[in-house]
Amino acid sequence: MVATFKIAVLGAQGVGKSAIVRQFLYNEFSEVCVPTTARRVYLPAVVMNGHVHDLQIMDFPPITAFPVNTLQEWADVCCRGLRSVHAYILVYDICCFDSFEYIKTIRQQILETRVIGTSETPIIIVGNKRDLQRGRVIPRWNVSNLVKKTWKCGYIEGWAKYNWHILLLFSELLKSVGCARCKHVHTTIRFQGALRRNRCTIM
């Protein structure tokens, strides 16, 4: 088991990926949409089921393409660290078809370019803005079936504004990267208690 779980959060502009991260860490949501223009790194220490787990959550701005090698990764300041993470969260807006096509492309590029350990690197697809489902552009069943059965990825729909399924997302992610202590236990409630501001350390 790795000492620090490195997680990359990717998505098109305006899908709410930064809102998901901030809701998870600080239990807060802003109605003002501020575009992510640079990589943001968060280093929380999370208490889950009585054990401390160090996370490195990297919130990336929209990238034109996944870096094909380490040289390209470190040549672009926005992509640094992207190829060496332990898990990917790919976020799309359920009301925006283009945002789904974006993560579809990024996922394929991850599989094609991250040769070492790719098959063991979890990818979770997140459909955000569930409150706006009347404007959904792709039926939920279609997306879920594609992601789970064809892509072999995890799929969760969430609502960053009211913290709906945000904790579930990260608890499932920790399970998927091999956190043995997180298995066979109902983790969501304990996770929520661990993420109060005075128990989540940002270094």
Side-chain angles (χ1 to χ4, degrees):
M1 184 174 65
V2 294
T4 300
F5 295 106
K6 299 178 181 179
I7 302 166
V9 185
L10 295 164
Q13 197 73 59
V15 297
K17 56 186 176 57
S18 297
I20 288 175
V21 173
R22 294 195 64 82
Q23 185 64 269
F24 171 69
L25 293 175
Y26 308 125
N27 194 28
E28 66 181 24
F29 178 84
S30 174
E31 296 286 355
V32 179
C33 180
V34 180
T36 302
T37 57
R39 185 189 64 157
R40 296 171 183 168
V41 180
Y42 303 90
L43 301 171
V46 177
V47 180
M48 187 173 181
N49 298 337
H51 300 279
V52 177
H53 306 283
D54 292 325
L55 305 181
Q56 183 182 83
I57 303 173
M58 291 180 280
D59 178 11
F60 288 88
I63 57 175
T64 55
F66 191 85
V68 298
N69 53 45
T70 304
L71 180 62
Q72 189 179 95
E73 173 190 14
W74 290 94
D76 185 347
V77 67
C78 291
C79 292
R80 290 178 181 175
L82 190 53
R83 290 175 54 85
S84 59
V85 300
H86 300 106
Y88 294 93
I89 297 175
L90 305 184
V91 184
Y92 79 99
D93 178 350
I94 65 171
C95 300
C96 178
F97 181 77
D98 287 344
S99 70
F100 182 76
E101 287 295 300
Y102 177 86
I103 61 143
K104 180 179 178 181
T105 299
I106 293 297
R107 172 198 161 271
Q108 188 60 38
Q109 291 174 352
I110 291 172
L111 297 180
E112 291 174 352
T113 63
R114 250 196 77 155
V115 179
I116 300 177
T118 296
S119 60
E120 300 177 357
T121 304
I123 298 175
I124 293 186
I125 308 300
V126 180
N128 194 30
K129 304 184 182 181
R130 178 70 190 280
D131 56 313
L132 303 177
Q133 60 178 333
R134 289 186 177 181
R136 183 190 295 274
V137 293
I138 309 175
R140 184 180 186 278
W141 185 89
N142 289 8
V143 177
S144 179
N145 191 58
L146 172 67
V147 171
K148 292 179 179 179
K149 295 184 178 181
T150 304
W151 294 0
K152 308 299 181 184
C153 297
Y155 181 69
I156 292 177
E157 289 199 349
W159 188 359
K161 184 174 182 178
Y162 290 107
N163 207 0
W164 191 68
H165 281 180
I166 304 305
L167 298 175
L168 175 63
L169 163 63
F170 283 91
S171 64
E172 289 298 316
L173 195 64
L174 275 180
K175 291 180 190 177
S176 68
V177 293
C179 177
R181 296 190 184 101
C182 302
K183 297 179 180 179
H184 312 303
V185 181
H186 190 283
T187 59
T188 305
I189 300 301
R190 298 188 185 190
F191 216 28
Q192 189 170 14
L195 293 174
R196 293 171 188 158
R197 190 178 286 272
N198 63 340
R199 296 182 63 186
C200 182
T201 304
I202 307 297
M203 300 178 184

